[in-house]
Amino acid sequence: MDTEIKEQLLPKIELVPYDFDNHLEKLTNWLRDKDLMHGWGMDTFENNEEVNKWASDSTRVVLIVNDVSSDEIVGMVNFYDWNKENRLASRGTLIDPKFQNKGYGKVAILASNKYAFDEMKLKRIELYVEGYNEASRHVTEKLGYKLDRYNSKKDRYYYFMDNPNQ
Protein backbone atom coordinates (compact mmCIF):
# COMPACT_ATOMS: atom_id res chain seq x y z
CA MET A 1 0.00 0.00 0.00
CA ASP A 2 1.30 3.45 -0.93
CA THR A 3 2.70 5.47 2.02
CA GLU A 4 0.35 8.42 1.43
CA ILE A 5 -2.69 6.13 1.58
CA LYS A 6 -1.37 4.48 4.76
CA GLU A 7 -0.95 7.90 6.37
CA GLN A 8 -4.55 8.82 5.47
CA LEU A 9 -5.77 5.70 7.26
CA LEU A 10 -4.09 6.66 10.55
CA PRO A 11 -6.33 8.16 13.22
CA LYS A 12 -6.34 11.93 13.61
CA ILE A 13 -5.42 13.06 17.11
CA GLU A 14 -4.74 16.16 19.11
CA LEU A 15 -2.50 16.50 22.15
CA VAL A 16 -4.21 18.28 25.04
CA PRO A 17 -2.37 19.39 28.19
CA TYR A 18 -3.36 17.34 31.24
CA ASP A 19 -6.11 19.01 33.24
CA PHE A 20 -6.84 17.73 36.75
CA ASP A 21 -10.60 18.31 36.53
CA ASN A 22 -11.05 16.68 33.13
CA HIS A 23 -8.42 13.94 33.04
CA LEU A 24 -7.66 12.69 36.57
CA GLU A 25 -10.11 9.79 36.48
CA LYS A 26 -8.83 8.43 33.16
CA LEU A 27 -5.19 8.93 34.15
CA THR A 28 -5.79 7.22 37.50
CA ASN A 29 -7.40 4.21 35.77
CA TRP A 30 -4.36 3.81 33.51
CA LEU A 31 -1.76 4.29 36.23
CA ARG A 32 -3.50 1.75 38.45
CA ASP A 33 -3.69 -0.84 35.65
CA LYS A 34 -1.13 -3.62 36.32
CA ASP A 35 -0.67 -4.53 32.65
CA LEU A 36 -0.14 -0.95 31.50
CA MET A 37 2.31 -0.22 34.30
CA HIS A 38 4.12 -3.49 33.59
CA GLY A 39 4.65 -2.14 30.07
CA TRP A 40 6.37 0.87 31.61
CA GLY A 41 8.33 -1.29 34.05
CA MET A 42 6.65 0.45 36.98
CA ASP A 43 4.47 -0.44 39.93
CA THR A 44 0.85 0.69 39.90
CA PHE A 45 -0.19 3.88 41.64
CA GLU A 46 -2.25 3.56 44.80
CA ASN A 47 -4.66 6.51 44.73
CA ASN A 48 -5.70 9.81 43.12
CA GLU A 49 -3.34 11.80 45.35
CA GLU A 50 -0.34 9.78 44.14
CA VAL A 51 -1.44 10.17 40.51
CA ASN A 52 -1.97 13.90 40.86
CA LYS A 53 1.42 14.35 42.54
CA TRP A 54 3.02 12.42 39.65
CA ALA A 55 1.20 14.49 37.01
CA SER A 56 2.01 17.78 38.76
CA ASP A 57 5.78 17.22 38.94
CA SER A 58 7.49 20.35 37.55
CA THR A 59 9.88 18.22 35.47
CA ARG A 60 6.95 16.48 33.77
CA VAL A 61 4.63 17.40 30.90
CA VAL A 62 1.56 15.19 30.51
CA LEU A 63 -0.34 15.42 27.24
CA ILE A 64 -3.64 13.65 26.72
CA VAL A 65 -4.12 11.97 23.33
CA ASN A 66 -7.59 12.77 22.03
CA ASP A 67 -9.13 11.19 18.91
CA VAL A 68 -10.41 14.12 16.84
CA SER A 69 -13.22 12.27 15.06
CA SER A 70 -14.76 10.57 18.10
CA ASP A 71 -13.60 13.09 20.74
CA GLU A 72 -12.48 10.14 22.89
CA ILE A 73 -9.41 10.12 25.10
CA VAL A 74 -7.28 7.27 23.79
CA GLY A 75 -4.03 7.66 25.70
CA MET A 76 -1.35 9.97 26.95
CA VAL A 77 2.21 11.04 26.37
CA ASN A 78 4.40 11.84 29.32
CA PHE A 79 7.63 13.84 29.10
CA TYR A 80 9.56 13.45 32.34
CA ASP A 81 12.95 14.30 33.84
CA TRP A 82 12.76 17.48 31.78
CA ASN A 83 16.10 19.22 32.02
CA LYS A 84 15.30 22.69 30.70
CA GLU A 85 18.90 23.86 30.83
CA ASN A 86 20.17 20.98 28.67
CA ARG A 87 16.91 20.82 26.69
CA LEU A 88 16.49 17.11 27.26
CA ALA A 89 13.55 14.97 28.45
CA SER A 90 12.48 11.37 28.49
CA ARG A 91 9.17 10.28 27.01
CA GLY A 92 6.65 7.57 27.73
CA THR A 93 3.59 6.78 25.66
CA LEU A 94 0.54 4.98 26.96
CA ILE A 95 -2.41 3.99 24.79
CA ASP A 96 -5.58 2.66 26.41
CA PRO A 97 -5.88 -1.09 25.70
CA LYS A 98 -9.21 -0.47 23.95
CA PHE A 99 -7.36 1.62 21.33
CA GLN A 100 -4.11 -0.31 20.95
CA ASN A 101 -2.97 -1.69 17.57
CA LYS A 102 -4.99 0.93 15.67
CA GLY A 103 -2.23 3.43 14.89
CA TYR A 104 -2.74 5.70 17.91
CA GLY A 105 0.71 4.96 19.33
CA LYS A 106 2.38 5.91 16.07
CA VAL A 107 0.51 9.18 15.62
CA ALA A 108 0.92 10.05 19.32
CA ILE A 109 4.68 9.57 19.05
CA LEU A 110 4.91 11.64 15.87
CA ALA A 111 2.77 14.45 17.32
CA SER A 112 4.66 14.41 20.63
CA ASN A 113 8.02 14.57 18.82
CA LYS A 114 6.82 17.73 17.09
CA TYR A 115 5.53 19.13 20.39
CA ALA A 116 8.80 18.35 22.18
CA PHE A 117 11.00 19.96 19.55
CA ASP A 118 8.76 22.92 18.65
CA GLU A 119 7.06 23.79 21.95
CA MET A 120 9.41 22.48 24.64
CA LYS A 121 12.46 23.36 22.51
CA LEU A 122 14.15 20.05 23.29
CA LYS A 123 17.42 19.06 21.67
CA ARG A 124 16.90 15.39 22.48
CA ILE A 125 14.15 12.96 23.49
CA GLU A 126 15.11 9.78 25.30
CA LEU A 127 13.02 6.74 26.10
CA TYR A 128 13.24 3.11 27.07
CA VAL A 129 11.30 0.05 26.01
CA GLU A 130 10.95 -3.07 28.11
CA GLY A 131 12.86 -5.96 26.54
CA TYR A 132 9.83 -8.18 25.99
CA ASN A 133 7.88 -5.43 24.20
CA GLU A 134 8.87 -6.15 20.61
CA ALA A 135 5.96 -4.17 19.14
CA SER A 136 7.02 -0.98 20.92
CA ARG A 137 10.65 -1.51 19.97
CA HIS A 138 9.60 -1.96 16.34
CA VAL A 139 7.53 1.26 16.28
CA THR A 140 10.25 3.19 18.11
CA GLU A 141 12.88 2.15 15.58
CA LYS A 142 10.57 2.60 12.60
CA LEU A 143 9.87 6.19 13.67
CA GLY A 144 13.56 7.06 13.68
CA TYR A 145 14.73 6.58 17.24
CA LYS A 146 18.29 5.32 17.51
CA LEU A 147 19.30 2.54 19.87
CA ASP A 148 21.58 3.92 22.56
CA ARG A 149 22.11 0.80 24.65
CA TYR A 150 20.61 -2.35 26.08
CA ASN A 151 20.62 -2.91 29.85
CA SER A 152 20.57 -6.66 30.45
CA LYS A 153 19.99 -6.31 34.21
CA LYS A 154 16.77 -4.34 33.65
CA ASP A 155 16.03 -5.98 30.28
CA ARG A 156 15.46 -2.55 28.72
CA TYR A 157 16.39 -0.97 25.42
CA TYR A 158 17.26 2.73 25.58
CA TYR A 159 16.68 4.97 22.58
CA PHE A 160 17.09 8.63 21.66
CA MET A 161 16.13 11.08 18.95
CA ASP A 162 17.91 14.38 18.39
CA ASN A 163 16.04 17.43 17.17
CA PRO A 164 16.30 17.23 13.37
CA ASN A 165 16.20 21.06 13.09
CA GLN A 166 19.42 21.58 15.05
Side-chain angles (χ1 to χ4, degrees):
M1 186 181 291
D2 166 300
T3 304
E4 189 175 313
I5 294 171
K6 281 184 182 178
E7 295 300 316
Q8 290 175 358
L9 297 176
L10 289 172
K12 305 292 185 248
I13 59 126
E14 63 182 345
L15 298 177
V16 179
Y18 169 75
D19 176 72
F20 176 85
D21 293 326
N22 294 314
H23 304 128
L24 179 62
E25 182 179 348
K26 185 68 89 170
L27 189 60
T28 298
N29 289 340
W30 292 331
L31 297 179
R32 295 187 75 185
D33 183 293
K34 285 184 169 89
D35 292 333
L36 290 174
M37 289 299 89
H38 175 70
W40 273 9
M42 293 175 56
D43 292 329
T44 58
F45 287 62
E46 295 301 317
N47 53 49
N48 284 4
E49 184 178 308
E50 207 174 269
V51 170
N52 195 49
K53 181 179 177 188
W54 177 88
S56 301
D57 180 335
S58 65
T59 67
R60 183 178 313 280
V61 173
V62 179
L63 301 168
I64 300 301
V65 181
N66 193 57
D67 181 290
V68 173
S69 62
S70 67
D71 198 32
E72 286 187 88
I73 295 172
V74 300
M76 67 112 168
V77 176
N78 157 45
F79 288 100
Y80 60 98
D81 294 339
W82 184 10
N83 181 323
K84 293 178 185 179
E85 184 179 327
N86 293 329
R87 297 173 43 210
L88 166 73
S90 296
R91 192 201 69 234
T93 305
L94 185 151
I95 302 299
D96 189 294
K98 177 175 146 184
F99 298 99
Q100 290 179 2
N101 301 311
K102 296 179 180 179
Y104 288 105
K106 179 179 180 178
V107 294
I109 291 168
L110 291 171
S112 68
N113 288 347
K114 182 171 176 33
Y115 183 91
F117 295 136
D118 294 351
E119 304 299 323
M120 296 172 68
K121 306 297 185 202
L122 295 184
K123 285 184 182 179
R124 176 176 279 201
I125 302 169
E126 298 179 337
L127 61 94
Y128 67 83
V129 179
E130 295 297 314
Y132 72 88
N133 195 339
E134 291 181 31
S136 288
R137 287 193 351 248
H138 175 76
V139 168
T140 298
E141 292 170 7
K142 187 175 179 178
L143 295 180
Y145 280 80
K146 294 177 178 66
L147 179 64
D148 183 37
R149 68 190 182 284
Y150 172 73
N151 181 323
S152 59
K153 289 183 182 175
K154 291 187 175 184
D155 189 26
R156 283 185 180 163
Y157 292 84
Y158 292 83
Y159 293 89
F160 70 94
M161 176 181 280
D162 289 327
N163 187 330
N165 302 317
Q166 296 188 2

